[in-house]
């Protein structure tokens, strides 16, 4: 009686992949700057309610489509705004990828033992480590593997067009996750089809799914077309900055040059396959044998796996942007190739000794995750945020990172960090960030404290530049390779008072998120001391409750806890004709009604006087007048800021 061929049980593959991917997933702090950037973009998306246009520090951030951020948001809504919640969505994706690789191995090698590929993928060092690093790469690896699996099922089984449909859907989702790199499997598939014999080439017709192709373009390009329609210059940004610059230039400072192929990719694709690196010996023996090259065209499975691995790798090597996790999707075909020697073995799918070795391997990977969570890392965002929290003494303090982008204080503390450029080879992109010199030039006469975070190499340069301004500062050693230069304001210069005024018509139905976003932009230099909301047409109570409510997860901060005076005016309530004190009593405020729906808001401070006119029906808007001179106009939903300093009222910006 012929012995039944056995492969690794599905439950073993799922259990092992789930264990190594979830162990200590959130115990390690998010690292600066990549992980915190993803987390902060997702947090701002969740707070603003805008799930289509990602922002970073509340400025448009279009380097990635929003699909990965949606996954992060889902995890944070489930587990909270922390490292566990931010990374949560990656664990199930890793498990699903291992299952897909096992399924593909079974179909490619036509044996249940092909499921070893899923077990190999689920215990490789680099994929396991990547599942604990917050990026879009684990998501992309899953979507590319799913797309390629659908292609192989469609081509090998000559089935109906459903696999061709799913192929295009997953490919489109990959593009919606990380853009053009998701299309690299198409290069391998095209080369594979061109190298096939004509009889087998006819099977490719199952991919020609009209519905699938339409869905692909809709899913992959929908977001890009939406952004390009809403924002001028978006097309140039996508093509010039995100495509041409990343592939052909060193502008993004991501390891340009062929030397980094040997420094990054070669170790990742060899040592990164531990503990399965020993399987390279039989694989390479077959690769360099004469018979193997002669059988490539007659062995479509081997040909396809080599093309799936080698052609994208060639593109990554030639690109001027190189990071280890760029090659993460290539570990799927690599696992399928490495499992080939295990497919031809007879007997039970694993021996007792092999089971012990597998258990030790799993425990080793779990131990690796535990050790990573306990080691003090130089890019630990928790340590940096705790340090910044001790330095911040007032909401008016300004946090500036010089030459290195950081996002952890924003994600963990709700602060607003300004990342600025500095001189040097690793300065930030000059088109995206202000110059440090511009920030330093604001120090003389500043009314609030500046906290500069800078690395040791740039510290002497920054101290010299700050010393030239004559502003006193103190140096504090910070964690994660940073130094803090704390510049205190001149106590003789009083801080100005700032009042924000916003007109909200009933049809606008302004949410607290919208208002908070406008306040955040207005506070790019100094916090507000008071906020006046002019409401027309709809009941004011719900809006007032949303503004004053100290709870709720959709707001950046509770305004009242920050000492911001909030006054809501509406057509239905009596207007404050007697003076009302704003900004701690420094400003007197009252309203005169000139006609139906037309008011004049008077702001007095000593002899200083400013007026803000709310126009009536048919010409809705507000006009700010200072000393009889119109200084600002605003329409529905726009925020006007009135500032009182020693020199009187002004309208900054």
């Amino acid at each position: 009686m012929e012995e039944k061929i056995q492969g690794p049980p599905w439950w073993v593959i799922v259990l092992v992949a789930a264990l190594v991917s979830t162990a200590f997933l959130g115990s390690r702090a998010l690292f600066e700057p990549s992980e915190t950037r993803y987390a902060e973009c997702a947090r701002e998306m969740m707070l603003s309610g805008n799930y289509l246009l990602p922002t970073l520090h509340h400025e448009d951030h279009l380097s990635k489509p929003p699909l990965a951020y949606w996954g992060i948001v889902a995890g944070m809504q489930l587990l909270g705004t922390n490292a566990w919640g931010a990374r949560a969505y990656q664990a199930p994706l890793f498990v699903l990828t291992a299952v897909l690789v096992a399924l593909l191995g079974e179909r490619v090698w036509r044996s249940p033992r092909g499921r070893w590929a899923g077990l190999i993928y689920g215990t490789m060092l680099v994929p396991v480590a990547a599942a604990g690093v917050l990026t879009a790469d684990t998501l992309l690896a899953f979507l590319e593997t799913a797309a390629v699996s659908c292609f192989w099922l469609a081509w090998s089984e000559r089935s109906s067009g459903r696999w061709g449909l799913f192929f295009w859907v997953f490919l489109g989702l990959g593009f919606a996750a990380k853009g053009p790199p998701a299309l690299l499997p198409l290069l391998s598939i095209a080369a594979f089809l061109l190298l096939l014999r004509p009889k087998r080439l006819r099977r490719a017709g199952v991919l020609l799914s009209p519905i699938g192709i339409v869905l692909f373009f809709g899913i992959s390009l929908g977001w890009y077309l939406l952004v390009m329609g809403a924002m001028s210059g978006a097309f140039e940004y996508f093509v010039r900055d995100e495509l041409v610059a990343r592939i052909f230039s060193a502008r993004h400072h991501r390891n340009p040059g062929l030397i980094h192929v040997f420094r990054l990719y070669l170790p990742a694709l060899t040592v990164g396959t531990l503990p399965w690196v020993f399987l390279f010996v039989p694989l390479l023996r077959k690769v360099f044998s004469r018979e193997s090259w002669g059988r490539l065209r007659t062995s479509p499975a081997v040909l396809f796996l080599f093309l799936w691995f080698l052609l994208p790798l060639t593109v990554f090597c030639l690109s001027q942007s190189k990071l280890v996790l760029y090659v993460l999707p290539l570990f799927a075909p690599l696992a399928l190739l490495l499992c080939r020697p295990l497919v031809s073995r007879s007997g039970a799918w694993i021996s007792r000794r092999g089971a012990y070795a597998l258990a030790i391997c799993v425990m080793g990977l779990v131990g690796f995750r535990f050790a990573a969570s306990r080691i003090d890392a130089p890019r630990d965002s928790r340590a940096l945020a705790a340090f910044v929290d001790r330095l911040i003494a007032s909401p008016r303090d300004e946090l500036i990172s010089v030459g290195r982008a950081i996002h952890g204080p924003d994600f963990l503390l709700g602060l607003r960090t300004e990342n600025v450029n500095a001189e040097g080879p690793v300065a930030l992109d000059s088109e995206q960030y202000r110059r440090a010199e511009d920030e330093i030039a604001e120090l003389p006469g500043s009314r609030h404290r500046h906290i500069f975070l800078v690395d040791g190499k740039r510290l002497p340069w920054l101290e010299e530049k700050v010393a030239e301004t004559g502003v006193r500062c103190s140096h504090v050693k910070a964690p994660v390779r940073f130094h803090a230069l704390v510049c205190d304001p001149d106590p003789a210069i009083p801080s100005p008072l700032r009042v924000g005024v916003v007109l909200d018509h009933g049809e606008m139905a302004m949410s607290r998120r919208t208002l908070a976003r406008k306040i955040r932009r207005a506070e790019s230099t100094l916090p507000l001391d008071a906020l006046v909301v002019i409401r027309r047409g709809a009941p004011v109570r719900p809006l007032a409750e949303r503004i004053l409510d100290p709870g709720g997860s959709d707001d950046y901060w509770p305004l009242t806890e920050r000492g911001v005076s909030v006054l809501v005016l509406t057509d239905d309530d009596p207007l404050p004709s007697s003076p009302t004190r704003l900004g701690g009593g420094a400003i007197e405020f009252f309203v005169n009604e000139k006609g139906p729906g037309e008011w004049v808001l008077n702001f007095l401070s000593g002899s200083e006087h400013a007026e803000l006119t709310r126009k009536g029906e048919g010409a809705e808007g507000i006009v700010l007048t200072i000393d009889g001179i119109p200084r600002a106009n605003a329409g529905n939903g726009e925020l006007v800021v009135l500032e009182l300093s020693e020199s009187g009222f002004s309208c900054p910006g």
Side-chain angles (χ1 to χ4, degrees):
M1 183 176 177
E2 186 177 349
E3 183 181 3
K4 184 179 179 181
I5 299 176
Q6 298 178 349
W10 291 105
W11 67 267
V12 171
I13 298 170
V14 172
L15 179 63
V16 168
L19 182 60
V20 299
S21 62
T22 57
F24 306 102
L25 183 62
S27 300
R28 179 179 62 80
L30 297 173
F31 280 0
E32 298 281 8
S34 293
E35 286 193 292
T36 51
R37 182 177 66 247
Y38 277 94
E40 176 59 14
C41 284
R43 186 185 76 93
E44 292 181 18
M45 182 177 285
M46 186 167 58
L47 294 175
S48 69
N50 187 342
Y51 289 90
L52 290 177
L53 295 178
T55 60
L56 182 61
H57 304 298
H58 306 280
E59 299 293 335
D60 295 327
H61 183 71
L62 306 177
S63 64
K64 297 287 186 300
L67 187 59
Y69 303 130
W70 295 347
I72 299 170
V73 167
M76 291 197 298
Q77 288 179 336
L78 183 65
L79 299 178
T81 307
N82 50 50
W84 283 96
R87 296 192 185 110
Y89 90 108
Q90 299 198 146
L93 290 175
F94 176 79
V95 174
L96 288 172
T97 306
V99 170
L100 281 173
V101 173
L103 174 65
L104 196 54
E106 189 176 53
R107 300 302 177 91
V108 164
W109 302 123
R110 300 183 180 277
S111 169
R113 288 189 182 274
R115 294 201 292 266
W116 265 106
L119 203 53
I120 291 173
Y121 182 90
T123 51
M124 276 182 173
L125 182 60
V126 165
V128 171
V133 178
L134 185 59
T135 64
D137 297 291
T138 296
L139 172 61
L140 180 63
F142 163 70
L143 293 171
E144 283 194 15
T145 305
V148 172
S149 299
C150 291
F151 160 74
W152 186 261
L153 290 172
W155 180 84
S156 62
E157 297 184 0
R158 287 169 282 187
S159 59
S160 62
R162 70 179 186 277
W163 292 121
L165 172 66
F166 291 140
F167 165 77
W168 291 109
V169 168
F170 282 118
L171 207 62
L173 288 172
F175 199 93
K178 207 174 178 182
L183 302 182
L184 287 176
L186 271 181
L187 179 64
S188 302
I189 291 170
F192 172 68
L193 296 176
L194 289 174
L195 292 174
L196 284 177
R197 292 179 176 178
K199 183 184 294 186
R200 285 177 170 166
L201 181 59
R202 288 196 293 268
R203 301 186 193 176
V206 295
L207 290 180
L208 301 179
S209 168
I211 298 177
I213 294 173
V214 170
L215 287 174
F216 164 75
F217 283 108
I219 295 171
S220 62
L221 299 181
W223 178 79
Y224 290 92
L225 293 175
L226 176 69
V227 172
M228 287 187 287
M231 301 175 61
S232 61
F235 177 79
E236 292 80 3
Y237 169 78
F238 288 137
V239 174
R240 183 192 63 212
D241 293 47
E242 293 301 321
L243 185 61
V244 176
R246 288 186 184 274
I247 296 175
F248 300 106
S249 79
R251 175 177 167 183
H252 292 278
H253 312 292
R254 295 195 171 181
N255 307 302
L258 289 176
I259 185 63
H260 296 289
V261 173
F262 303 96
R263 191 179 72 87
L264 297 176
Y265 292 160
L266 184 60
L269 294 169
T270 52
V271 179
T273 63
L274 285 171
W276 304 100
V277 67
F278 68 92
L279 292 175
F280 273 106
V281 175
L283 175 64
L284 293 176
R285 188 181 299 154
K286 284 185 174 292
V287 166
F288 291 105
S289 66
R290 293 182 180 180
E291 296 80 5
S292 63
W293 292 101
R295 290 200 302 262
L296 269 182
R297 291 193 66 185
T298 59
S299 179
V302 176
L303 174 63
F304 176 68
L305 293 177
F306 271 113
L307 291 173
W308 183 12
F309 177 77
L310 291 175
L311 292 185
L313 178 60
T314 302
V315 175
F316 289 134
C317 292
L318 295 176
S319 172
Q320 293 301 304
S321 292
K322 298 180 184 68
L323 293 175
V324 169
L325 292 186
Y326 285 177
V327 297
L328 180 63
L330 304 187
F331 280 84
L334 188 56
L336 288 160
L337 287 167
L338 289 176
C339 86
R340 183 68 179 93
L342 302 177
V343 174
S344 58
R345 291 190 176 184
S346 59
W349 72 275
I350 194 171
S351 64
R352 178 176 296 182
R353 184 179 299 177
Y356 289 149
L358 181 61
I360 293 172
C361 165
V362 172
M363 288 189 292
L365 290 170
V366 172
F368 166 76
R369 298 286 286 268
F370 173 74
S373 70
R374 308 301 295 177
I375 296 174
D376 292 332
R379 295 184 292 159
D380 189 321
S381 63
R382 285 182 195 155
L384 179 61
F387 172 79
V388 168
D389 196 31
R390 292 193 297 269
L391 287 181
I392 295 290
S394 164
R396 297 178 183 274
D397 292 352
E398 186 170 353
L399 182 65
I400 306 119
S401 177
V402 180
R404 291 185 183 274
I406 63 169
H407 319 287
D410 300 60
F411 177 71
L412 296 171
L413 303 175
L415 299 178
R416 55 184 186 277
T417 304
E418 184 167 2
N419 296 303
V420 298
N421 270 292
E423 296 178 344
V426 291
L428 302 175
D429 188 345
S430 60
E431 293 190 10
Q432 298 180 18
Y433 298 97
R434 295 181 66 196
R435 296 168 63 246
E437 290 89 340
D438 297 333
E439 199 69 40
I440 295 169
E442 296 177 0
L443 292 177
S446 174
R447 300 173 178 89
H448 59 283
R449 187 204 284 188
H450 289 68
I451 301 171
F452 291 93
L453 296 177
V454 63
D455 59 28
K457 292 181 179 180
R458 296 189 180 89
L459 179 62
W461 173 83
L462 181 63
E463 288 179 322
E464 180 183 350
K465 291 293 183 181
V466 171
E468 292 173 359
T469 67
V471 175
R472 58 189 180 128
C473 63
S474 57
H475 169 240
V476 183
K477 179 67 177 72
V480 293
R481 298 180 181 175
F482 273 108
H483 297 261
L485 208 60
V486 182
C487 303
D488 294 311
D490 188 340
I493 302 176
S495 179
L497 296 172
R498 308 180 87 224
V499 180
V501 184
V502 63
L503 178 64
D504 177 21
H505 286 188
E507 63 269 17
M508 182 181 175
M510 178 186 291
S511 68
R512 186 170 64 168
R513 295 177 187 146
T514 304
L515 183 60
R517 186 167 62 249
K518 294 178 182 297
I519 294 172
R520 172 73 87 170
R521 290 184 180 275
E523 293 196 324
S524 60
T525 53
L526 279 177
L528 295 178
D529 297 282
L531 176 69
V532 179
V533 180
I534 305 172
R535 182 76 169 171
R536 173 182 175 270
V540 68
R541 190 58 190 164
L543 176 68
E545 289 175 353
R546 287 195 294 271
I547 294 173
L548 300 174
D549 179 15
S553 62
D554 61 345
D555 200 2
Y556 296 119
W557 54 76
L559 293 177
T560 51
E561 288 187 7
R562 294 179 56 251
V564 179
S565 304
V566 179
L567 181 63
V568 181
L569 307 178
T570 174
D571 292 320
D572 300 329
D573 294 335
L575 300 174
S577 56
S578 58
T580 299
R581 293 285 180 175
L582 294 175
I587 300 176
E588 285 188 341
F589 167 79
F590 63 92
V591 180
N592 291 331
E593 188 170 6
K594 297 181 65 175
E598 186 170 352
W599 309 335
V600 177
L601 284 66
N602 298 272
F603 299 90
L604 303 175
S605 180
S607 61
E608 303 295 331
H609 182 213
E611 294 182 350
L612 194 144
T613 304
R614 177 243 175 132
K615 298 178 182 178
E617 297 182 5
E620 289 86 352
I622 50 180
V623 179
L624 178 63
T625 304
I626 300 175
D627 296 331
I629 302 174
R631 304 295 290 273
N633 292 276
N636 187 25
E638 297 180 14
L639 185 71
V640 171
V641 177
L642 178 66
E643 187 171 283
L644 173 64
S645 63
E646 284 188 323
S647 58
F649 284 110
S650 62
C651 181

